[in-house]
Each structure stands twice: as C-alpha cells, then as structure tokens.
Amino acid sequence: MTDAMDLAFEERGSGPVLLFVHGFPLNRTMWIPQLAGLAKLRTCVSVDLRGHGLSEDKDPSDYSMDLFADDVARTLDGLKADQVDLCGLSMGGYVVFAMLRRHPDRVRSLIFCDTKAEADSPEAKEGRDKTAAAVREKGIEALIEGLLPKLVAPGCSDTVKASIRDMFLTVPPEVAVADLIAMRDRPDTTEQLGSISVPTLWIHGEDDQIMPIEGARATAEKIPGARFEAIPKAGHMAPLENPEPVNAAIAAFLKG
Ligand code: MLT
C-alpha cells in the first residue's frame, strides 16, 4: 500500500487538538466558520486530504478511506498530537470511521456531520461509476451540475453556494474520480457502531437531501451515549450553511 503522507492544514487556537476532515469534493476551507468559532476551546486543525487543496498527490491511483486515515494519523504525528477530537463531514466521516478502525488510540472523541455508516448499495456503486465517467468526460462541471444543487438546503445563500463552487473548482478531475472510486469501495461500518466507546456527537442538517436526517438519527442511536443535534435551515453542508448552531453544539459537547 502507498505510504502515508503529511497533509497541508490550517490551524487556529490553542489547547488540545480538534481536527476537521472535509467532504467530497471539497477542502480544508469548508471549516473556516468552525476554526473561527471554536478556537477559544481547542487548537482547531483543518486538513486537506491528499490531492485536495494544498496537499500533494494530484495523480492518484490508489486512494482509499484507509489511506486517507493513515495520512491523518501521520499528520497528527507531525503536530505531536497523541489524541484528538475528530470531526468529519460526509466523506470526511468515512475517514473518521477508518481512523477508528486503524488508529483508535488517536481518538479522544468523535463528531460526525452529515455522514453515514452504511457501505454503498449495488445501485449506489453503479451511480459512482456513472458519476466518475461523467467527470472523466466533462470535468468538474459534471459535479457542479449534478451534485452541488443537492448539497444545500433550499434558501441557502448565494455566498455559501459560491464558496462551495469555488472549492469544487480547485479539485483536479482525476482526484474527484479517485475519491468516487474510494467511496464506492469503502467498507460498511454499521457493525462497529455499538462498540464505539468514546464520547460522540452527531450533527445533521434537517434538510440534508443526500443523507436524510431520519436515517442519520437511527445510526446515531446505535452509538452508545451519542448526542444528536438536528441543524435547522441546513442541508448536507450544515457546518457551512448554518455555522452558529453547529458551533454551539460542538462547544457544548466539548465542554460537557
Ligand atoms: C460528500 O459530501 O462527501 C459525499 O457526498 C459523500 C458521498 O457521496 O457518499
């Protein structure tokens, strides 16, 4: 397997580390409202997964959630952070599950945002292949047309939509294709939920069109003691669409 690499990251604040992992096809800047709002409580670190943002390896052949998790663990070594509060959105949540499988000793607490534990169904796998083919043919424009409108709640501001579009446009098409294949092939983690033993918060946009909130609530109920926070006026990109209640929920969780 490919060696783990150091990831580019943005850091703000002081104290124990709270590390954020972005979704698909995004980068570290999606967490700027959290870095701004939570820096008084933690050293907030937002990474760019390999190939994304400022991280290297734009010519991917073997991306996987496991490799992404190994990169996060190596980056934590560089930060001299033995244990962190770990937060991931959607694909970032899949990376958080991989961290739990591969580096459980590095996790002090968990924050899942708009993600899921189930593997892709056969139909979803087919959908990944079709999307990958569309990106190969039309580039990132295929995702801007097909995915971006589903990421946000009705009524989302033009500023937030524009910032998501800008993130999409920084991702090389080859990287987006490699992400899609890696997500298609990720394992199911539902069996793991009952044995999670660290404090866990699950945050979910009430209007998430990609991962409906009722399924998320049912998943969170399988994690012993997990807190669940429904975020109003937000879709799949809850931390960016409505940061105040997201930051308040994370702050209350960390203080508790
Ligand atoms: C994401 O937001 O990271 C993706 O929509 C996740 C997925 O497609 O499974």
Side-chain angles (χ1 to χ4, degrees), residues 22-26 30 89-94 113-116 118 120 124 128 147 151 168 179-180 183-184 186 208 210-211 236-237:
H22 60 80
F24 167 81
L26 304 167
M30 67 154 282
L89 177 129
S90 199
M91 181 175 80
Y94 310 154
C113 296
D114 295 275
T115 190
K116 63 177 171 191
E118 297 83 14
D120 279 5
R128 299 280 190 206
L147 176 64
L151 286 184
F168 272 46
D179 286 346
L180 286 161
M183 289 194 285
R184 180 195 68 189
R186 76 188 189 282
D208 189 332
I210 298 202
M211 300 177 185
H236 192 62
M237 296 295 299

